[in-house]
């Protein structure tokens, strides 16, 4: 059934392409590319012998929807590149998901990527009061743009902020219809439409899920529009795939000038959404971080009496929290981790603070890493070369990327990667176009991934070194000038060696020169 439907769609595209003789060559090239991509997807369905499962049917529905858009654009002789970029991106995403399907046409659970939304449903809220007020007053109730984006890295509190707005009494009173869709797994446009309709339709006369699932995307969009027509609505789309085609979805919503609002949360801006108002979230400062920590460890976990965190260790606790980088996810995870321990005395609390395990936190951030554009993955891994909380200068970033093989020696490519990393909330602008910074927890993740994938290693003279499981290819030396002691017998695999400015002395250079005298190629870098 699915294969036959796709072949029928391709046939329509072929006929339209063959009949038209007046369309510009650039538009015909786009049509050719879509037809080629569709045929590749048919081959996947055929080769994998996929049965008509729910996931496959949803993906095919989205492809039929895309084909209808292509036919419309081709007929109108539309040349705007953004339209075609979003089409090819979404087809590419559908193709990837097809490859993850099992024989029964259902996406294999072990391969399904979880959402980057890792925030709890019942969370302690700290430090968002001002954001809530500003967003409601200036962008949700007031403001001109109908689409508002809450942007920031995973775990910074985007979903929590959106939830506070969504449930705020002023917002509940202002909007006649409200709906919330979260991306617990990667959604198709058809699933998104069904979820919205189910929340918005009359509770006394609901459509069954099976009825909605048997409708095509166009019919679902018509139904959604009918539900929203003539009303003021707020729709929250929490952490939806950046590849999703919002353009056709948004175009079918009722006109926006009635005060209707679409609120998105994402770590990146969506290129096919025009006139979106961006609210950039910032990490919590030290004061608010401490408030959230105490709220989590003492109140949220109901520790009482001798089990409560001793305020005499406030300074030590705040030092530990610096490793959380103001990330609410990390702060809450640390608080919960400590609250699970049965502790009575100050000395036991001190030991716990010194041995906090950030492994579970990094695990929660993994989806954020996996959602990076593949071309940015190498750049992300190379961020491990820098010390945590250091200022990242453009010139040094480019040097590291070129040395680590992340990019070719191209100023344009490096500049584009910088823009993309900022857009994806990996790094933040500190000084316009010259200096940047990276969240300390995200930096920990870059080190972990670099160790796994690059053969990366950090040498510290404080003894806090982890033995590399694979041959070391990239080594960074971090220690004070007077404590430097370099000796290793694993240098034969090295391709780069870096150090902080503190150890960049001629003594170091001569010592390393003797140790590595048999190497023919080595890049030596001093990290600023």
């Amino acid at each position: 059934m699915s294969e036959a439907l796709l072949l029928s769609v391709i046939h329509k595209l072929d006929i339209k392409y063959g009949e038209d003789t007046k369309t510009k060559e650039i538009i015909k090239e786009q049509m050719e590319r879509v037809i080629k991509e569709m045929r590749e997807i048919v081959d996947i369905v055929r080769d994998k012998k996929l049965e008509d499962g729910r996931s496959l049917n949803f993906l095919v529905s989205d492809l039929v929807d895309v084909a209808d858009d292509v036919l419309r654009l081709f007929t109108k002789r539309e040349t705007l590149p953004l339209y075609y970029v979003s089409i090819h991106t979404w087809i590419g995403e559908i193709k990837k998901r097809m490859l993850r399907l099992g024989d029964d046409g259902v996406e294999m659970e072990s391969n399904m990527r979880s959402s980057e939304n890792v925030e709890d449903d019942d969370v302690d809220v700290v430090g968002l009061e001002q954001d809530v007020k500003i967003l409601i007053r200036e962008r949700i109730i007031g403001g001109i743009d109908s689409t508002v984006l809450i942007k920031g890295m995973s775990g910074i509190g985007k979903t929590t902020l959106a939830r506070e707005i969504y449930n705020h009494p002023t917002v509940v009173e202002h909007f006649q219809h409200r709906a919330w869709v979260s991306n617990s797994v990667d959604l198709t446009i058809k699933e998104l439409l069904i979820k919205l309709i189910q929340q918005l339709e009359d509770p006394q006369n609901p459509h069954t899920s099976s009825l909605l699932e048997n409708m095509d995307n166009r019919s679902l969009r018509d139904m959604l529009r009918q539900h929203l027509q003539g009303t003021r609505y707020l729709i929250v789309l929490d952490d939806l795939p950046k590849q999703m085609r919002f353009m056709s979805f948004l175009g079918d919503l009722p006109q926006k000038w009635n005060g209707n609002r679409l609120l998105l949360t994402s770590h990146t801006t969506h290129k096919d959404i025009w006139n979106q108002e961006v609210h950039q979230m910032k990490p919590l400062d030290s004061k608010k971080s401490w408030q959230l920590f105490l709220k989590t460890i003492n109140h949220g976990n109901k520790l009482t009496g001798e089990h409560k965190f001793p305020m005499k260790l406030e300074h030590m606790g705040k030092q530990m929290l610096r490793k959380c980088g103001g990330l609410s996810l990390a702060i809450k995870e640390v608080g919960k981790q400590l609250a699970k321990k049965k502790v009575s005395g100050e000395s036991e609390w001190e030991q716990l603070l010194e041995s906090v395990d950030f492994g579970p936190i990094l695990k929660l951030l993994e989806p954020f890493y996996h959602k990076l554009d593949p071309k940015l993955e190498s750049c992300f891994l190379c961020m491990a070369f820098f010390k945590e909380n250091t200022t990242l200068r453009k010139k040094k970033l480019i040097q590291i990327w070129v040395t680590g093989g992340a990019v070719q020696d191209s100023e344009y490519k490096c500049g584009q990667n910088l823009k993309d990393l900022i857009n994806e909330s990996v790094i933040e602008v500190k000084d316009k176009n010259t200096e940047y910074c990276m969240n300390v927890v995200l930096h920990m993740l870059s080190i972990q991934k670099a160790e796994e994938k690059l053969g990366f290693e950090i040498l510290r003279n404080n003894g806090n070194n982890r033995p590399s499981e694979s041959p070391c290819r990239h080594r960074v030396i971090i220690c004070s000038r007077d404590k430097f002691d370099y000796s290793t017998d694993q240098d034969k695999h090295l391709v780069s060696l870096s150090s902080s400015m503190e150890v960049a002395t001629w003594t170091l250079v001569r010592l390393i020169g003797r140790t590595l005298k048999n190497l023919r190629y080595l890049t030596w870098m001093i990290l600023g």
Side-chain angles (χ1 to χ4, degrees):
M1 178 67 178
S2 293
E3 182 181 340
L5 185 56
L6 289 173
L7 288 172
S8 172
V9 167
I10 293 171
H11 183 61
K12 280 186 189 178
L13 295 173
D14 276 329
I15 290 175
K16 188 65 179 178
Y17 177 81
E19 288 178 345
D20 199 300
T21 58
K22 298 179 181 179
T23 303
K24 292 180 182 179
E25 194 61 33
I26 187 171
I27 302 178
K28 297 192 79 171
E29 287 175 2
Q30 296 292 349
M31 175 71 96
E32 286 177 358
R33 182 178 170 187
V34 169
I35 293 172
K36 179 176 179 291
E37 290 170 331
M38 290 279 195
R39 291 191 188 282
E40 290 173 356
I41 289 175
V42 170
D43 290 339
I44 292 171
V45 174
R46 186 178 295 139
D47 293 344
K48 290 174 69 73
K49 298 178 181 178
L50 298 175
E51 297 178 11
D52 287 322
R54 186 170 182 269
S55 297
L56 178 61
N57 291 336
F58 281 2
L59 291 170
V60 170
S61 292
D62 276 19
L63 281 173
V64 173
D65 202 30
V66 167
D68 288 342
D69 276 350
V70 171
L71 286 170
R72 178 177 53 81
L73 293 172
F74 192 75
T75 302
K76 292 172 64 177
R77 296 181 173 85
E78 179 60 68
T79 58
L80 190 64
L82 189 58
Y83 286 125
Y84 295 105
V85 169
S86 70
I87 284 170
H88 295 308
T89 301
W90 190 233
I91 292 176
E93 179 66 16
I94 290 173
K95 189 189 302 183
K96 289 179 188 175
R97 297 189 194 181
M98 289 278 194
L99 290 169
R100 296 203 297 262
L101 293 178
D103 293 340
D104 56 357
V106 177
E107 195 163 5
M108 291 178 286
E109 187 174 351
S110 59
N111 289 330
M112 293 171 77
R113 293 182 299 165
S114 61
S115 165
E116 73 163 278
N117 169 18
V118 289
E119 296 157 25
D120 302 320
D121 289 332
D122 299 315
V123 293
D124 292 315
V125 179
V126 170
L128 297 179
E129 299 82 4
Q130 198 62 24
D131 296 78
V132 171
K133 287 180 183 177
I134 291 173
L135 276 168
I136 291 177
R137 184 179 68 245
E138 299 180 5
R139 295 178 181 176
I140 302 300
I141 305 298
I144 299 173
D145 292 321
S146 59
T147 304
V148 180
L149 170 65
I150 299 176
K151 181 175 179 287
M153 67 171 285
S154 181
I156 204 167
K158 303 184 296 296
T159 299
T160 304
L161 175 57
R163 190 182 293 109
E164 288 293 297
I165 293 168
Y166 186 80
N167 293 322
H168 196 279
T170 304
V171 172
V172 173
E173 183 180 353
H174 183 76
F175 293 99
Q176 293 165 270
H177 285 307
R178 294 179 305 132
W180 178 298
V181 177
S182 290
N183 186 35
S184 55
V185 293
D186 285 337
L187 292 174
T188 60
I189 293 175
K190 182 168 185 173
E191 287 172 290
L192 170 62
L193 292 168
I194 290 173
K195 286 177 180 289
L196 288 173
I197 290 169
Q198 288 175 329
Q199 292 183 62
L200 295 168
E201 65 183 357
D202 185 356
Q204 303 300 320
N205 188 28
H207 291 83
T208 62
S209 295
S210 59
L211 177 64
L212 294 174
E213 289 178 13
N214 286 326
M215 296 171 68
D216 60 26
N217 287 22
R218 172 57 59 187
S219 300
L220 290 170
R221 284 206 293 265
D222 289 343
M223 182 181 288
L224 177 62
R225 185 169 60 251
Q226 290 171 12
H227 282 307
L228 296 175
Q229 198 70 49
T231 66
R232 191 161 52 221
Y233 63 82
L234 168 67
I235 294 176
V236 178
L237 305 180
D238 180 32
D239 181 33
L240 293 193
K242 64 182 177 183
Q243 300 90 347
M244 182 172 276
R245 286 202 70 226
F246 284 100
M247 199 173 290
S248 61
F249 166 71
L250 294 176
D252 280 327
L253 290 176
Q255 296 298 328
K256 320 287 192 312
W257 50 70
N258 292 334
N260 301 322
R261 291 291 182 269
L262 182 66
L263 179 61
L264 310 176
T265 72
S266 179
H267 68 275
T268 183
T269 53
H270 294 267
K271 294 178 182 177
D272 62 339
I273 300 179
W274 297 335
N275 301 321
Q276 55 184 309
E277 189 76 31
V278 179
H279 179 81
Q280 182 69 52
M281 289 201 70
K282 300 291 183 183
L284 298 177
D285 59 27
S286 57
K287 182 179 178 180
K288 290 174 181 175
S289 294
W290 183 245
Q291 289 174 359
L292 180 58
F293 173 73
L294 288 181
K295 200 170 185 182
T296 303
I297 196 170
N298 286 337
H299 303 120
N301 292 278
K302 298 180 175 59
L303 296 181
T304 57
E306 70 276 10
H307 291 150
K308 282 203 170 190
F309 185 83
M311 293 310 295
K312 291 181 180 179
L313 297 179
E314 178 176 345
H315 177 73
M316 187 177 180
K318 287 182 176 179
Q319 287 292 106
M320 181 273 299
L321 282 185
R322 291 178 63 184
K323 297 178 183 178
C324 295
L327 201 63
S328 58
L329 163 74
I331 297 166
K332 287 182 285 188
E333 185 64 27
V334 166
K336 291 174 184 176
Q337 192 179 124
L338 294 177
K340 289 176 183 177
K341 310 292 183 181
K342 299 294 184 182
V343 185
S344 56
E346 287 184 19
S347 61
E348 292 180 61
W349 275 112
E350 287 183 21
Q351 292 173 14
L352 283 177
L353 290 174
E354 290 173 351
S355 60
V356 168
D357 181 12
F358 278 80
I361 297 168
L362 300 185
K363 188 70 177 175
L364 289 171
L365 286 179
E366 285 245 359
F368 178 75
Y369 164 73
H370 289 302
K371 288 185 179 184
L372 290 177
D373 191 306
K375 70 178 181 180
L376 298 179
E377 182 180 346
S378 296
C379 292
F380 178 80
L381 298 178
C382 286
M383 306 305 281
F385 285 77
F386 294 92
K387 290 176 67 176
E388 67 274 7
N389 288 323
T390 192
T391 296
L392 306 169
R393 292 178 174 80
K394 184 176 181 179
K395 191 181 244 184
K396 190 60 68 174
L397 272 171
I398 292 173
Q399 181 187 358
I400 295 289
W401 289 344
V402 172
T403 302
V407 293
Q408 300 298 319
D409 193 0
S410 164
E411 187 171 340
Y412 171 77
K413 285 184 180 178
C414 291
Q416 189 59 50
N417 283 2
L418 267 174
K419 290 179 182 177
D420 291 341
L421 286 170
I422 294 167
N423 185 50
E424 298 248 5
S425 303
V426 175
I427 60 176
E428 197 178 320
V429 179
K430 194 172 181 181
D431 182 56
K432 190 175 181 181
N433 296 327
T434 58
E435 294 183 350
Y436 310 89
C437 59
M438 184 180 196
N439 187 278
V440 65
V441 182
L442 206 53
H443 183 259
M444 288 184 207
L445 184 62
S446 73
I447 292 174
Q448 183 188 82
K449 293 301 173 186
E451 289 172 344
E452 294 173 7
K453 296 177 177 291
L454 296 182
F456 177 80
E457 178 181 84
I458 298 178
L459 278 185
R460 306 174 190 267
N461 264 65
N462 60 7
N464 188 19
N465 298 311
R466 286 191 298 177
S468 179
E469 295 181 2
S470 57
C472 178
R473 301 181 72 247
H474 301 276
R475 178 174 291 132
V476 172
I477 304 170
I478 299 177
C479 64
S480 61
R481 187 188 298 262
D482 59 338
K483 290 186 177 180
F484 178 74
D485 179 22
Y486 184 91
S487 60
T488 179
D489 57 357
Q490 297 181 356
D491 293 328
K492 60 183 179 180
H493 299 289
L494 276 183
V495 294
S496 76
L497 183 64
S498 315
S499 80
S500 61
M501 292 291 286
E502 298 147 16
V503 294
T505 64
W506 279 110
T507 302
L508 171 63
V509 173
R510 287 197 298 271
L511 179 56
I512 292 176
R514 289 198 302 270
T515 307
L516 308 177
K517 62 183 178 182
N518 295 324
L519 286 182
R520 291 186 60 192
Y521 304 104
L522 177 71
T523 300
W524 161 249
M525 293 174 290
I526 300 175
L527 303 176

